[in-house]
Amino acid sequence: MYQLKSLLRTFETVFNNRKRYQFLSWNELNEIRNLINKQVKIDQTVCEKVYREIIYEVTKTGKEREEKLPYNRYLWLRVIDSYNGNLPIAQDKLLMIDEAQSIALTEYSLIRSLMPNVILNLYGDVQQKTENERGFGSWKEILKLGEYTVFNLNENYRNSKEITEYCNQELGLDMRPISLEIEAVRECVTFQEFVQCLRQKSNLLGKETVAVISKNSKKIYQQIIRVDMSLKGKLVINDGGPIDQKKINIFKIEQVKGLEFHSVGVVENAMADNEKYIAYTRALNSLMVIKLPENDETQNSKSRDKKKIIVFRGKIIK
């Protein structure tokens, strides 16, 4: 009974903060709440699982989260599994999951409960797990759910030798480059130099794909055209849609997983190491990196010169 009351209080908290905790379907969540409220004969361990594994997962960060959280289907499966026992589903012998680091441990626990005899083959790269994303950041965490054998593959077939070695140097990794030498990674000192590199790469549009990756795509778009207005017609802010082959696509870091481009410009501001790794490795052949300070100044040299001009009694003194 304690778990029932505790769960209901948690549901009320979530329902009273709908703008903060956006679920995929409020109707389904409400049905589950009503089901428990009527005290249908459900094993009390269900309440404990729901409370600890679902609601806690939503509220633990204490941050405003804009994305919708599709926990309702998981919630229903947990209720049905605990109330009715294993679901009458096909008991496959082998289940292979790609991008395994993006699935929460609670979801793996549910798979194990529904399919206790299945052999799981998990493929993924924990370096691509970002801070605010569900999933796990170390293969050691998956060992909490049972016995697994972990195989580490550190060969890099995707990126050029220079990009792989740059990742090793900057992020303390130990990847083995397999690809050929193509082009040195360019660390731009100023934003003007970074934009100049993009201008050069824009001449290859239509033949090669070019992208810019940052934490704030709209801000970077404005900064680029502030430096070089001639690039405006060659830029597009991509919010996750198809890649425009004829333009420089500007992405937020969370939108580029699984994508590849011939050339990539990375604006590192506020990026964690995992995000840098994701951004760097989107580039197949050419990588340009700009490390701006927190209060980045992207004005051109003319604007900086103006600060040196002093007006005294109607006369200009430099």
Side-chain angles (χ1 to χ4, degrees), residues 151-167:
F151 298 92
N152 291 312
L153 307 177
N154 68 340
E155 290 83 3
N156 185 317
Y157 295 88
R158 170 190 288 170
N159 312 108
S160 70
K161 181 180 179 181
E162 295 91 339
I163 294 172
T164 302
E165 291 177 344
Y166 185 78
C167 290

Side-chain angles (χ1 to χ4, degrees), residues 183-208:
E183 180 181 319
V185 175
R186 183 162 180 174
E187 286 191 347
C188 300
V189 178
T190 66
F191 198 76
Q192 289 72 31
E193 181 185 354
F194 181 74
V195 173
Q196 182 180 5
C197 290
L198 294 179
R199 188 187 305 115
Q200 294 171 353
K201 294 298 180 182
S202 70
N203 295 325
L204 301 174
L205 291 173
K207 299 179 181 178
E208 297 186 1

Side-chain angles (χ1 to χ4, degrees), residues 69 82 101 108 176 207 244 303 307:
L69 303 170
S82 296
Q101 78 283 348
Y108 283 118
R176 180 187 172 193
K207 299 179 181 178
D244 192 332
S303 64
K307 296 179 182 179

Side-chain angles (χ1 to χ4, degrees), residues 101 125-130 137 173 273-275 277-278:
Q101 78 283 348
D125 185 351
V126 292
Q127 290 290 337
Q128 296 194 42
K129 163 69 171 63
T130 55
L173 302 178
D273 282 352
N274 282 26
E275 293 173 322
Y277 171 77
I278 295 169

Side-chain angles (χ1 to χ4, degrees), residues 10-44:
T10 307
F11 270 133
E12 292 301 328
T13 300
V14 175
F15 268 81
N16 290 334
N17 292 274
R18 295 190 181 193
K19 290 183 179 179
R20 182 172 182 180
Y21 309 120
Q22 300 179 46
F23 286 80
L24 186 64
S25 171
W26 285 95
N27 292 333
E28 290 190 29
L29 189 62
N30 196 33
E31 288 178 19
I32 298 174
R33 181 181 65 165
N34 292 337
L35 179 68
I36 297 175
N37 194 28
K38 293 176 182 177
Q39 299 185 21
V40 176
K41 295 180 180 179
I42 298 179
D43 189 339
Q44 288 189 359

Side-chain angles (χ1 to χ4, degrees), residues 9 39 41 74 97 113 137 159 233 236 291 298:
R9 284 197 300 271
Q39 299 185 21
K41 295 180 180 179
Y74 174 88
I97 300 176
S113 179
N159 312 108
V236 60
K291 301 179 180 181
T298 59

Side-chain angles (χ1 to χ4, degrees), residues 36-174:
I36 297 175
N37 194 28
K38 293 176 182 177
Q39 299 185 21
V40 176
K41 295 180 180 179
I42 298 179
D43 189 339
Q44 288 189 359
T45 58
V46 177
C47 304
E48 187 70 13
K49 288 179 181 178
V50 171
Y51 177 74
R52 292 186 181 278
E53 297 179 0
I54 308 302
I55 306 302
Y56 175 72
E57 186 73 22
V58 178
T59 61
K60 67 179 180 180
T61 61
K63 300 178 181 178
E64 296 291 331
R65 302 185 66 174
E66 297 179 357
E67 71 272 20
K68 292 185 177 181
L69 303 170
Y71 286 115
N72 57 329
R73 291 182 176 85
Y74 174 88
L75 190 59
W76 267 115
L77 284 172
R78 273 297 188 190
V79 170
I80 295 171
D81 177 49
S82 296
Y83 183 49
N84 293 327
N86 291 341
L87 294 177
I89 60 177
Q91 293 297 314
D92 296 322
K93 295 181 179 180
L94 176 63
L95 179 60
M96 296 183 287
I97 300 176
D98 195 16
E99 299 294 343
Q101 78 283 348
S102 298
I103 296 179
L105 295 179
T106 50
E107 293 174 293
Y108 283 118
S109 175
L110 176 59
I111 292 172
R112 274 293 181 210
S113 179
L114 295 173
M115 307 173 70
N117 298 319
V118 73
I119 296 174
L120 285 179
N121 279 6
L122 309 180
Y123 306 90
D125 185 351
V126 292
Q127 290 290 337
Q128 296 194 42
K129 163 69 171 63
T130 55
E131 182 180 359
N132 295 321
E133 180 186 42
R134 75 180 186 191
F136 56 92
S138 169
W139 290 109
K140 293 181 180 179
E141 296 181 49
I142 202 73
L143 298 178
K144 299 175 184 177
L145 302 179
E147 295 184 6
Y148 289 87
T149 302
V150 178
F151 298 92
N152 291 312
L153 307 177
N154 68 340
E155 290 83 3
N156 185 317
Y157 295 88
R158 170 190 288 170
N159 312 108
S160 70
K161 181 180 179 181
E162 295 91 339
I163 294 172
T164 302
E165 291 177 344
Y166 185 78
C167 290
N168 290 340
Q169 172 188 320
E170 293 295 308
L171 304 174
L173 302 178
D174 186 27

